[in-house]
C-alpha cells in the first residue's frame, strides 16, 4: 500500500478545498486517488466556516505526506480555508510536507496577487480581521501560488483529463516507496554498486533480467531492497515482491498489479487470470520489478516473469538460492553474492554485540573467533551478535564452544534448512547429508563413485545431477582442484538435520560423525539399522576397545571410515557383523592381515586399507569395486588376484616396499599408482589395457619392462616412470618408436636424451 512508505504518516493526501468544488472536482479527485490506492483525508464534517480550524484538522495535516490545495474562485472567501493554508505551509517548512497547488478554473496570477474574485474577498476580510492577519493570508497565498502546480486550462477544460493529470503528479511525488534496508548496512553499498552495473547495461529499450544468487543468510533480500531504493525513481512503475515462496501466487499477482498501477479496483482471483492481466496491463510500462525469495518455476510463470511481459527499458531482479531457476529464465546476468570479508564481518558483529563498529579490547580475540565461525554470513553475525549483547567474555567463549560442538543457533539453522527442504529428490537430500557428515574436502569425482556406484553413463544422470543441484542450491561448492567444499554453517545445518531426527537415541541417527557419539554407540552396542554412515578417527588419542559385535545390528550401514580403532573378539567374525550394504570401507591401519574368505561385501565401491599389514591372497568377489587403496602395505609381496574384481578403475599400491609382482590387472583399470615400489620386478602384459589413462611407476629400479605397454599408449594421458633405471633396451626402443605419433594425436611433450636413451628421461605430460 502507498501509505506503507510514509512510516509514521497516516494519510497520503490531504485535500484543502472550498465547498463550491465539493460535489464536482474535489469528490472526483478524492475517489480517483482512493481507487489508485492512496489514503486521502477529506473533511466530510461541514465544519462551520466561521470557526477556527480544529486541533484534529491540524493533526490531519501533520499526519499527511502531501497537501493538495484546490484553488477555486471562491477559495479566498473562506477564513477557514486561509487558516488551513497557513497551517499547510507551516508544515511544509517544519515537517517537509509536500504541497501541490491546483488551479481550478482560475489563473494562478489572481491567487498570487489577490485580484478579481480574490480582491473582492480580501476587501471583506479587511473589514472584519486585523491588518496583521490579513497580511499573513496574503503572503501565504502568494507563497502557495509560487509553487509548481496543476492548471485546469492546460487540459482545455476537460475535467476527466485534469483529474488524471493531478493523480499522475501526486503519484509521481509519492512514488518513492523506500524500504527499510538494515539498521547497520555494512558492505551494502559496494554490492549495490556492483550489481547496479548490470542494471545500467543494455539499451534504453532492452528488458533485462538480473539474478542475485547465494546461500541463505547472505543478505540477498537486503541488497535487493537497497537496489530498489536506489533505482526506483528511474521507472514509471515499481514493485518489490518480498519472500514470494511464502505467499500465495494470487496474492503476489495482486501485489504486483497494485504496486505498479496503483488501482484498488483491480483484483484477480485465479492464477491464470492474474498472469494474463500482468502481461496485458504492464506490457507497455517501463517497470522495476524485484521478486524476492523465488524457489519455484511456478512463481516465475504466475508473475509472467519474462522479457515480453514488460515494457521497453524494464529491469527484473530475481533473488534466489537456486541458480537453476535463473538458468531456466535465461537471465542476462547471474550475480553470485559474496560472503562478507573479515573486516566487514567484524564490523557487523560489533554493531549488534556492542552498538559500535569495533569490539571492546577484551572481546577482540573471541569476536574474531565468532567471525570465523560465521564464515562471513550476515544473518549469523546479526543473530549471534544480538544474542551475545551485554554478555561476558566467558559467556561468549562458552556459547561459541557449544555451537561448534553441537547444534547451531536455532534461527540460523531454520533459515539455512529452507534450501534442504526445497530439494524434491530424496536421493539428493541423502547425498547432501552424506557430504556434510563425511566427504567435505574430498574429490568430487571420487565421492560420486561412492555415492552413485552405477556405470559412468548412469552416474552422469545420478550423482552428477545431484551434485549440480546441491551446487545450484548453494549447499555445496567445488573448488579449483575439484574438491567438494561446504560453508561451515551449512555443514552444521546438515548435521543438525540428522541429529534432530533422533535427538535422544544416538544409535538411531542415520549418520554418526562425532567422536563422543560414535564411541558411546560402539561401547554400548546400541547401533541400529537406521545408521547409514559412521566415522571415527582415534589417531594419537587414547584408544578404547570395542567389540566387533557392535556392528551387528547396523543393517543399513553404507559408509564406514575408521582409523586407529581397536576391537576385541575375533577379527575373522568382523565380516559377519558388517552390513552387506556397505559401499565405502575406509580403514587405514586395518587390524587384520588377511581378507576373510567369506568376505561378502558385494556392494563395496571403495576400499582403503592403506598403512596396514594386509596380505591379500584370497580371490574375493567384489564386482562393484571401483577403487582399491593398499598403499604403504609393506607386508604385501604380490598384488591381489583381480579375477573377481573386474570393474576396478583405480588401484593404489604406492610405497609398498616389499611388493615384487603385479601379475595381473583388471581390463577396466584406468589409473595405477605404484610409485616407490622399490622391489617391483614383474608387471602384467599391457597390450589389452585399452582404458588405462594414468600410469605412475616412479622409482621402481628393479623393473626391466612392461610388456605390451607401447600398444596401450593411445589411451594414456599421463606416464610417470622417473627413476626406473633398469629398463631394458628392447622396451625403450618400442616406446621411443611409438611415442612420436603422440605429438600430433595427443599433444604430448616428450623429453628424450638420445645419447643415453634412458627411459628415466622420458616424461609424458599433458599440455
Amino acid at each position: 500500500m502507498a501509505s506503507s512508505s510514509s512510516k509514521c504518516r497516516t494519510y497520503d493526501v490531504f485535500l484543502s478545498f472550498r465547498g463550491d468544488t465539493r460535489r464536482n472536482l474535489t469528490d472526483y479527485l478524492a475517489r480517483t486517488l482512493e481507487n489508485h490506492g492512496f489514503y486521502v483525508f477529506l473533511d466530510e464534517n461541514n465544519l462551520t466556516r466561521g470557526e477556527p480550524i480544529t486541533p484534529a484538522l491540524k493533526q490531519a495535516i501533520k499526519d499527511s505526506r502531501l497537501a493538495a490545495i484546490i484553488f477555486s474562485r471562491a477559495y479566498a472567501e473562506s477564513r477557514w480555508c486561509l487558516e488551513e493554508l497557513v497551517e499547510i505551509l507551516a508544515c511544509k517548512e517544519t515537517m517537509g510536507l509536500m504541497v501541490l497547488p491546483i488551479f481550478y478554473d482560475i489563473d494562478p496570477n489572481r491567487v498570487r496577487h489577490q485580484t478579481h474574485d480574490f480582491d473582492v474577498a480580501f476587501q471583506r476580510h479587511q473589514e472584519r480581521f486585523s491588518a496583521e492577519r490579513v497580511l499573513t493570508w496574503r503572503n501565504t497565498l502568494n507563497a502557495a501560488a509560487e509553487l509548481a502546480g496543476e492548471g485546469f486550462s492546460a487540459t482545455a477544460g476537460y475535467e476527466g483529463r485534469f483529474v488524471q493529470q493531478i493523480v499522475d503528479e501526486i503519484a509521481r511525488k509519492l512514488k518513492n516507496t523506500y524500504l527499510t534496508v538494515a539498521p547497520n548496512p555494512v558492505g551494502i553499498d559496494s554490492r549495490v554498486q556492483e550489481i547496479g552495473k548490470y542494471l545500467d547495461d543494455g539499451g534504453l529499450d532492452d528488458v533485462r533480467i538480473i539474478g542475485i544468487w547465494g546461500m541463505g543468510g547472505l543478505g540477498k533480500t537486503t541488497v535487493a531492497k537497497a537496489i530498489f531504493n536506489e533505482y526506483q525513481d528511474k521507472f514509471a512503475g515499481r514493485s518489490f515482491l518480498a519472500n514470494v515462496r511464502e505467499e500465495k501466487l494470487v496474492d503476489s499477482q495482486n501485489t504486483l498489479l497494485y504496486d505498479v498501477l496503483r488501482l484498488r479496483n483491480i483484483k484477480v482471483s485465479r492464477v491464470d487470470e492474474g498472469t494474463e492481466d500482468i502481461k496485458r496491463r504492464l506490457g507497455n510500462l517501463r517497470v522495476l520489478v524485484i521478486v524476492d525469495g523465488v524457489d519455484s518455476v511456478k512463481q516465475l510463470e504466475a508473475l509472467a516473469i519474462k522479457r515480453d511481459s514488460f515494457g521497453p527499458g524494464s529491469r527484473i531482479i530475481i533473488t534466489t538460492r537456486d541458480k537453476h531457476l535463473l538458468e531456466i529464465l535465461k537471465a542476462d546476468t547471474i550475480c553470485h553474492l559474496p560472503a562478507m570479508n573479515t573486516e566487514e564481518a567484524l564490523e557487523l558483529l560489533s554493531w549488534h554485540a556492542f552498538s559500535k563498529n569495533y569490539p571492546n579490547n577484551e572481546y577482540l580475540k573471541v569476536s574474531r573467533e565468532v567471525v570465523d565461525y560465521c564464515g562471513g554470513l550476515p544473518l549469523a553475525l546479526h543473530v549471534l551478535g544480538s544474542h551475545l549483547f551485554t554478555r561476558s567474555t566467558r559467556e561468549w567463549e562458552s556459547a561459541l564452544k557449544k555451537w561448534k560442538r553441537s547444534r547451531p543457533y536455532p534461527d540460523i539453522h531454520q533459515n539455512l534448512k529452507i534450501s534442504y527442504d526445497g530439494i524434491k529428490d530424496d536421493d539428493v537430500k541423502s547425498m547432501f547429508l552424506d557430504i556434510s557428515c563425511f566427504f567435505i574436502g574430498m574429490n568430487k569425482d571420487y565421492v560420486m563413485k561412492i555415492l552413485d556406484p552405477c556405470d559412468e553413463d548412469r552416474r552422469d544422470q545420478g550423482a552428477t545431477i545431484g551434485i549440480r543441484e546441491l551446487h545450484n542450491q548453494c549447499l555445496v561448492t567445488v573448488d579449483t582442484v575439484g574438491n567438494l567444499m561446504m560453508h561451515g554453517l551449512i555443514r552444521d545445518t546438515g548435521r543438525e538435520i540428522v541429529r534432530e531426527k533422533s535427538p535422544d537415541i544416538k544409535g538411531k541417527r542415520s549418520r554418526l560423525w562425532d567422536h563422543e557419539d560414535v564411541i558411546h554407540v560402539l561401547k554400548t552396542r546400541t547401533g541400529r539399522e537406521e545408521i547409514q554412515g559412521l566415522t571415527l578417527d582415534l589417531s594419537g588419542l587414547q584408544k578404547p576397545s570395542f567389540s566387533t559385535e557392535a556392528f551387528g545390528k547396523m543393517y543399513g550401514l553404507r559408509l564406514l571410515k575408521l582409523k586407529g580403532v581397536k576391537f576385541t573378539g575375533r577379527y575373522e567374525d568382523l565380516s559377519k557383523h558388517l552390513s552387506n550394504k556397505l559401499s565405502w570401507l575406509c580403514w587405514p591401519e586395518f587390524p587384520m592381515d588377511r581378507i576373510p574368505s567369506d568376505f561378502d561385501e558385494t556392494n563395496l565401491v571403495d576400499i582403503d586399507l592403506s598403512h596396514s599389514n594386509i596380505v591379500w591372497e584370497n580371490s574375493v568377489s567384489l564386482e562393484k569395486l571401483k577403487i582399491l587403496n593398499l598403499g604403504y602395505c609393506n607386508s604385501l609381496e604380490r598384488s591381489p588376484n583381480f579375477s573377481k574384481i573386474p570393474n576396478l578403475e583405480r588401484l593404489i599400491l604406492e610405497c609398498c616396499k616389499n611388493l615384487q609382482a603385479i601379475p595381473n590387472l583388471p581390463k577396466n583399470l584406468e589409473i595405477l599408482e605404484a610409485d616407490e615400489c622399490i622391489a617391483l620386478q614383474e608387471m602384467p602384459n599391457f597390450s589389452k589395457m585399452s582404458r588405462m589413462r594414468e600410469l605412475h611407476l616412479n622409482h621402481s629400479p628393479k623393473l626391466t619392462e612392461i610388456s605390451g605397454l607401447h600398444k596401450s599408449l593411445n589411451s594414456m594421458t599421463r606416464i610417470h616412470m622417473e627413476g626406473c633405471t633398469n629398463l631394458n633396451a628392447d622396451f625403450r626402443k618400442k616406446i621411443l618408436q611409438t611415442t612420436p605419433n603422440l605429438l600430433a594425436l595427443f599433444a604430448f611433450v616428450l623429453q628424450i636424451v638420445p645419447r643415453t636413451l634412458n627411459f628415466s628421461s622420458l616424461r609424458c605430460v599433458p599440455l
Side-chain angles (χ1 to χ4, degrees):
M1 304 293 289
S3 62
S4 66
S5 65
S6 62
K7 299 180 181 178
C8 61
R9 304 289 177 91
T10 305
Y11 305 105
D12 292 311
V13 182
F14 178 95
L15 288 181
S16 175
F17 63 97
R18 183 75 167 101
D20 60 326
T21 68
R22 175 183 293 278
R23 295 180 184 276
N24 43 59
L25 178 71
T26 298
D27 183 67
Y28 190 1
L29 177 59
R31 303 307 162 222
T32 305
L33 285 169
E34 287 174 348
N35 286 337
H36 278 72
F38 294 107
Y39 288 121
V40 179
F41 181 88
L42 176 68
D43 172 35
E44 300 282 6
N45 297 321
N46 290 315
L47 297 177
T48 303
R49 293 304 184 184
E51 298 178 358
I53 61 173
T54 64
L57 194 65
K58 289 184 178 182
Q59 189 62 46
I61 295 171
K62 293 177 181 178
D63 286 343
S64 299
R65 299 174 64 200
L66 180 145
I69 307 162
I70 302 175
F71 289 117
S72 60
R73 291 180 181 181
Y75 188 87
E77 296 176 2
S78 169
R79 168 206 174 186
W80 191 86
C81 284
L82 295 174
E83 290 289 352
E84 189 175 84
L85 183 62
V86 171
E87 186 69 25
I88 287 171
L89 263 66
C91 287
K92 175 181 179 294
E93 297 301 321
T94 59
M95 301 180 63
L97 175 68
M98 291 182 281
V99 177
L100 178 67
I102 298 168
F103 302 97
Y104 181 51
D105 203 19
I106 189 171
D107 190 304
N109 283 323
R110 295 185 181 185
V111 178
R112 183 179 297 113
H113 301 299
Q114 296 94 53
T115 61
H116 295 79
D117 295 318
F118 275 54
D119 181 42
V120 173
F122 267 89
Q123 288 179 18
R124 295 172 182 166
H125 292 325
Q126 287 172 344
E127 295 174 358
R128 299 179 58 195
F129 304 106
S130 68
E132 181 181 359
R133 176 166 292 187
V134 171
L135 181 61
T136 298
W137 291 342
R138 285 185 180 277
N139 290 338
T140 303
L141 279 170
N142 180 270
E146 290 290 342
L147 299 173
E150 299 296 324
F152 189 41
S153 61
T155 61
Y158 287 97
E159 195 160 294
R161 296 179 187 177
F162 186 43
V163 168
Q164 188 59 56
Q165 181 176 300
I166 296 168
V167 171
D168 288 345
E169 180 61 17
I170 290 175
R172 189 188 68 79
K173 287 180 175 294
L174 297 179
K175 69 182 177 180
N176 291 336
T177 308
Y178 288 103
L179 305 173
T180 301
V181 176
N184 308 111
V186 179
I188 299 298
D189 288 346
S190 61
R191 288 158 175 80
V192 170
Q193 290 173 12
E194 181 63 28
I195 298 172
K197 296 175 185 176
Y198 304 108
L199 269 75
D200 296 333
D201 281 353
L204 293 176
D205 293 337
D206 291 347
V207 177
R208 295 183 63 79
I209 298 175
I210 294 102
I212 301 177
W213 169 59
M215 65 181 283
L218 265 182
K220 299 182 295 298
T221 301
T222 303
V223 171
K225 286 180 177 179
I227 291 171
F228 185 83
N229 290 346
E230 179 76 17
Y231 285 89
Q232 61 167 309
D233 60 350
K234 298 181 180 180
F235 297 87
R238 68 226 41 91
S239 179
F240 187 99
L241 301 174
N243 207 10
V244 295
R245 68 171 171 266
E246 296 184 3
E247 300 291 334
K248 293 180 179 178
L249 294 178
V250 167
D251 290 345
S252 294
Q253 290 174 327
N254 282 318
T255 300
L256 174 58
L257 288 167
Y258 172 78
D259 285 351
V260 174
L261 300 174
R262 313 302 296 186
L263 296 173
R264 277 187 176 173
N265 57 355
I266 297 178
K267 191 173 182 65
V268 299
S269 55
R270 300 194 320 272
V271 172
D272 56 348
E273 173 195 356
T275 303
E276 292 305 312
D277 237 19
I278 291 168
K279 293 177 183 177
R280 179 168 56 84
R281 294 178 180 273
L282 308 189
N284 293 316
L285 297 178
R286 185 173 185 269
V287 298
L288 171 65
V289 177
I290 297 182
V291 190
D292 172 58
V294 175
D295 66 356
S296 166
V297 173
K298 287 184 178 180
Q299 295 155 358
L300 299 173
E301 292 174 344
L303 294 168
I305 302 299
K306 52 184 181 178
R307 289 172 182 80
D308 58 4
S309 297
F310 305 96
S314 294
R315 296 292 184 265
I316 315 300
I317 298 175
I318 311 294
T319 76
T320 182
R321 305 182 187 200
D322 189 350
K323 185 180 181 183
H324 187 53
L325 293 177
L326 301 175
E327 294 170 340
I328 292 172
L329 258 185
K330 297 182 179 178
D332 295 283
T333 303
I334 298 176
C335 302
H336 184 226
L337 202 64
M340 284 185 153
N341 62 40
T342 302
E343 295 311 309
E344 289 174 332
L346 186 61
E347 181 181 349
L348 183 60
L349 177 74
S350 300
W351 279 117
H352 291 289
F354 308 107
S355 299
K356 58 182 183 178
N357 66 354
Y358 201 75
N360 300 331
N361 286 335
E362 65 271 25
Y363 285 85
L364 182 57
K365 181 177 180 294
V366 69
S367 293
R368 290 194 179 279
E369 291 175 359
V370 173
V371 164
D372 183 62
Y373 170 73
C374 291
L377 200 66
L379 169 71
L381 294 160
H382 179 177
V383 169
L384 299 188
S386 300
H387 176 77
L388 295 168
F389 182 70
T390 72
R391 299 180 188 270
S392 68
T393 55
R394 179 172 294 181
E395 288 174 303
W396 276 55
E397 290 164 354
S398 175
L400 183 59
K401 184 178 180 181
K402 175 185 175 182
W403 296 327
K404 286 182 176 180
R405 165 67 178 79
S406 54
R407 54 192 307 187
Y409 197 84
D411 289 353
I412 299 171
H413 171 69
Q414 291 302 324
N415 182 285
L416 298 182
K417 187 173 177 283
I418 291 171
S419 296
Y420 172 84
D421 291 337
I423 299 172
K424 308 303 181 187
D425 190 326
D426 288 342
D427 290 339
V428 178
K429 284 186 171 182
S430 178
M431 183 180 296
F432 166 70
L433 298 179
D434 286 341
I435 294 170
S436 66
C437 294
F438 306 117
F439 295 113
I440 296 173
M442 296 189 187
N443 180 267
K444 173 178 71 73
D445 295 332
Y446 168 73
V447 174
M448 284 198 302
K449 289 180 188 294
I450 296 169
L451 299 184
D452 192 1
C454 54
D455 60 70
E456 188 170 347
D457 291 337
R458 287 180 56 202
R459 190 183 305 129
D460 287 341
Q461 300 173 10
T464 302
I465 292 175
I467 293 290
R468 187 181 300 124
E469 180 172 355
L470 294 177
H471 178 265
N472 287 341
Q473 292 281 359
C474 297
L475 292 173
V476 301
T477 59
V478 181
D479 67 14
T480 55
V481 294
N483 294 327
L484 291 173
M485 306 303 292
M486 187 177 286
H487 191 283
L489 293 174
I490 292 286
R491 175 204 63 203
D492 292 348
T493 295
R495 294 180 175 185
E496 175 60 12
I497 290 169
V498 172
R499 192 202 67 82
E500 64 187 5
K501 291 282 182 66
S502 180
D504 300 320
I505 305 175
K506 299 178 176 65
K508 288 189 174 183
R509 294 177 189 169
S510 64
R511 293 153 182 88
L512 294 172
W513 64 91
D514 180 80
H515 280 198
E516 293 182 14
D517 292 346
V518 177
I519 289 172
H520 169 79
V521 169
L522 292 179
K523 268 190 173 182
T524 58
R525 306 184 195 179
T526 53
R528 295 297 180 262
E529 61 183 346
E530 288 85 356
I531 297 177
Q532 299 179 37
L534 181 151
T535 180
L536 180 62
D537 185 350
L538 295 179
S539 301
L541 302 176
Q542 185 177 359
K543 295 180 173 56
S545 295
F546 311 103
S547 169
T548 56
E549 295 178 3
F551 295 105
K553 294 184 179 180
M554 299 184 194
Y555 305 127
L557 190 65
R558 298 181 292 110
L559 310 168
L560 178 61
K561 182 180 181 181
L562 301 171
K563 188 174 182 182
V565 182
K566 293 182 177 180
F567 287 89
T568 60
R570 285 165 43 89
Y571 278 103
E572 290 77 5
D573 293 337
L574 185 60
S575 60
K576 298 177 182 177
H577 300 305
L578 288 177
S579 163
N580 58 15
K581 293 182 179 179
L582 205 63
S583 61
W584 183 46
L585 177 61
C586 183
W587 198 338
E589 303 173 13
F590 186 62
M592 300 171 61
D593 59 5
R594 295 282 191 281
I595 294 292
S597 57
D598 60 349
F599 191 71
D600 185 24
E601 296 294 339
T602 55
N603 288 303
L604 272 170
V605 177
D606 177 32
I607 297 178
D608 181 351
L609 304 179
S610 57
H611 297 273
S612 64
N613 294 317
I614 192 78
V615 177
W616 195 312
E617 294 177 342
N618 299 331
S619 177
V620 181
S621 178
L622 298 167
E623 291 197 0
K624 292 185 179 180
L625 193 68
K626 304 287 185 183
I627 304 167
L628 177 60
N629 186 353
L630 298 175
Y632 296 88
C633 292
N634 290 329
S635 297
L636 197 66
E637 296 181 358
R638 295 173 65 84
S639 63
N641 181 343
F642 296 108
S643 61
K644 295 184 180 180
I645 315 177
N647 295 306
L648 193 68
E649 296 175 1
R650 182 177 181 184
L651 175 62
I652 303 170
L653 297 168
E654 62 182 349
C655 294
C656 291
K657 301 300 183 183
N658 295 307
L659 181 66
Q660 300 174 27
I662 304 176
N664 66 81
L665 288 171
K667 297 298 186 289
N668 287 322
L669 194 69
E670 297 177 3
I671 300 173
L672 173 61
E673 299 177 49
D675 291 337
E676 307 293 340
C677 292
I678 57 177
L680 183 61
Q681 301 179 47
E682 179 185 345
M683 291 289 290
N685 191 305
F686 265 64
S687 60
K688 294 185 179 180
M689 301 295 293
S690 59
R691 300 190 62 179
M692 181 70 73
R693 293 186 292 107
E694 296 184 23
L695 180 61
H696 301 262
L697 288 169
N698 290 331
H699 304 290
S700 300
K702 295 187 177 182
L703 192 62
T704 59
E705 66 174 345
I706 304 176
S707 299
L709 178 61
H710 62 287
K711 296 181 180 180
S712 298
L713 291 177
N714 285 342
S715 65
M716 296 287 194
T717 58
R718 291 177 182 270
I719 300 176
H720 294 280
M721 295 185 70
E722 294 88 346
C724 296
T725 56
N726 201 32
L727 297 170
N728 64 48
D730 184 54
F731 173 69
R732 293 198 303 268
K733 181 178 178 181
K734 288 178 181 178
I735 293 297
L736 294 174
Q737 287 175 342
T738 306
T739 50
N741 294 329
L742 297 177
L743 282 170
L745 293 173
F746 300 101
F748 273 69
V749 174
L750 305 178
Q751 296 180 350
I752 306 170
V753 181
R755 287 188 179 181
T756 61
L757 291 180
N758 190 321
F759 194 62
S760 63
S761 64
L762 170 62
R763 290 169 41 203
C764 301
V765 185
L767 290 175

